[in-house]
Amino acid sequence: MVDQTLESNPKRIPVLAISRKIIQIISFFLINYAALEFIFSAKFSLLENFVKVLPFLHSAKSSWTAGAGLLEYSFFTISQGEIPFFFIAVIALLGLFGGRIFCGWACPTGFIQDLLYGLAGENKRFSLEVDKSLKKVKNFGLIVMFILILPLGVYRISNLGSYIGYKEFLGPLTENTLAPISLSEFLFVTFPGVIQSIIDDVNIQVLFSEGKAWSTILFFVYIIILVLTVFWPRAYCKYLCPYGAAISFSAKYSLVKLQRMPTRCPGRKECGICEKVCPMQIRILDEPYNGFTGEGECTLCLECMEKCPYDAIKWKFGA
Ligand code: SF4
Ligand code: SF4
């Protein structure tokens, strides 16, 4: 029963949104610390180790670092014929204790998507069914990469000849398995590289050089994804990100979650603001009111909580 005496809150300063932006900016520079080195003409060797072990960064490495994250190390371990127990455990624990908070507050790729979305500020959304199906695409991408890389590990411990042959067949995928499905690889490695070549050679032909068909296709696919992100917030996070796919398995059961007070919330017809602002298109009002993670998709951005005019959404820690 909704408390009829409740009044909606007047407009207030978006403290959470501002804090999130500040943290995103700091993370962006820490993770891509080479930008700081460039600005201050310094060498932050301490940060190099930090980036290399920062556990989430499957691909949030810049073109200037040799850093890699949990998912990249996991795939590398599989390619060596070993099971990445440690990395899998860390991903599972991160999801369990923090959900997808890294996506919402620290991921540089997420930050860039938020900036792009800010250009139009139009939260377009697919129908419920389409959104549900598209959210499975990222799991599919992860599984395909796993199927591709698994034989490499098997051959490595059983048949060296086949290992060498398969390694040649995979080409650059052997070393950088997730690159084709990594937006951050595109943003921080491919894109700056292409721009640099165009500037150096003053020639756009670099995009269409022989033997680069796949790179060219991917280049334009990512440009389209970025354009779509202007209208569909966090399109890559929702539908394609391999880290998002990996962590959402355990983030679904995250101890950090949101809850909605039914006694304060008049529902979708009277309000529904939370669902309209949610960049991950979570059907908040269909989720269990006493604790929800949006099937592991909630990035804990807290937009819904801050914009709720009746203060009906709170965060909670616990089962
Ligand atoms: S924003 Fe959502 S949770 Fe808050 S009152 Fe409106 S419908 Fe309810
Ligand atoms: S449910 Fe709320 S906190 Fe979670 S992603 Fe949507 S707006 Fe952000």
Side-chain angles (χ1 to χ4, degrees), residues 260 264-268 271-275 284-285 304 307-310 312-313:
R260 181 175 59 89
R264 300 184 72 93
C265 169
R268 192 173 286 135
C271 178
I273 290 174
C274 53
E275 290 187 341
I284 296 168
L285 300 162
C304 56
K307 300 267 168 61
C308 173
Y310 296 93
I313 298 179

Side-chain angles (χ1 to χ4, degrees), residues 258 274 277-282 284 292 297-305 313:
L258 298 175
C274 53
V277 299
C278 176
M280 300 302 281
Q281 204 176 329
I282 292 166
I284 296 168
F292 61 89
E297 297 291 339
C298 174
T299 60
L300 294 164
C301 68
L302 305 183
E303 282 279 322
C304 56
M305 188 165 123
I313 298 179

Side-chain angles (χ1 to χ4, degrees), residues 103-121:
C103 308
W105 289 72
C107 176
T109 308
F111 174 56
I112 287 180
Q113 287 177 83
D114 286 349
L115 291 181
L116 287 172
Y117 171 60
L119 296 176

Side-chain angles (χ1 to χ4, degrees), residues 39-189:
I39 293 168
F40 296 109
S41 308
K43 186 96 190 120
F44 301 128
S45 41
L46 266 179
L47 284 178
E48 193 176 325
N49 292 328
F50 168 71
V51 168
K52 276 180 182 159
V53 298
L54 200 62
F56 319 92
L57 307 178
H58 76 274
S59 55
K61 58 181 185 181
S62 73
S63 50
W64 303 284
T65 79
L70 276 181
L71 220 47
E72 277 179 339
Y73 282 127
S74 300
F75 274 86
F76 178 74
T77 309
I78 294 168
S79 77
Q80 299 302 299
E82 290 167 33
I83 304 172
F85 289 116
F86 174 73
F87 299 119
I88 292 170
V90 177
I91 293 174
L93 287 174
L94 287 170
L96 208 55
F97 286 96
R100 284 183 70 176
I101 197 166
F102 174 77
C103 308
W105 289 72
C107 176
T109 308
F111 174 56
I112 287 180
Q113 287 177 83
D114 286 349
L115 291 181
L116 287 172
Y117 171 60
L119 296 176
E122 208 181 317
N123 191 344
K124 281 191 185 290
R125 43 195 61 229
F126 294 109
S127 71
L128 203 57
E129 293 71 33
V130 174
D131 174 67
K132 225 173 161 181
S133 311
L134 285 176
K135 276 178 177 156
K136 289 184 185 137
V137 172
K138 58 182 180 304
N139 300 349
F140 179 73
L142 198 59
I143 291 167
V144 168
M145 289 308 172
F146 175 72
I147 292 172
L148 270 178
I149 214 73
L150 183 63
L152 198 63
V154 173
Y155 288 143
R156 182 144 204 280
I157 51 177
S158 61
N159 186 331
L160 211 56
S162 302
Y163 171 76
I164 293 166
Y166 194 64
K167 202 172 168 193
E168 271 169 23
F169 166 74
L170 286 181
L173 274 187
T174 311
E175 303 296 331
N176 206 352
T177 315
L178 296 168
I181 52 174
S182 164
L183 178 58
S184 55
E185 182 83 15
F186 174 76
L187 284 173
F188 303 116
V189 182

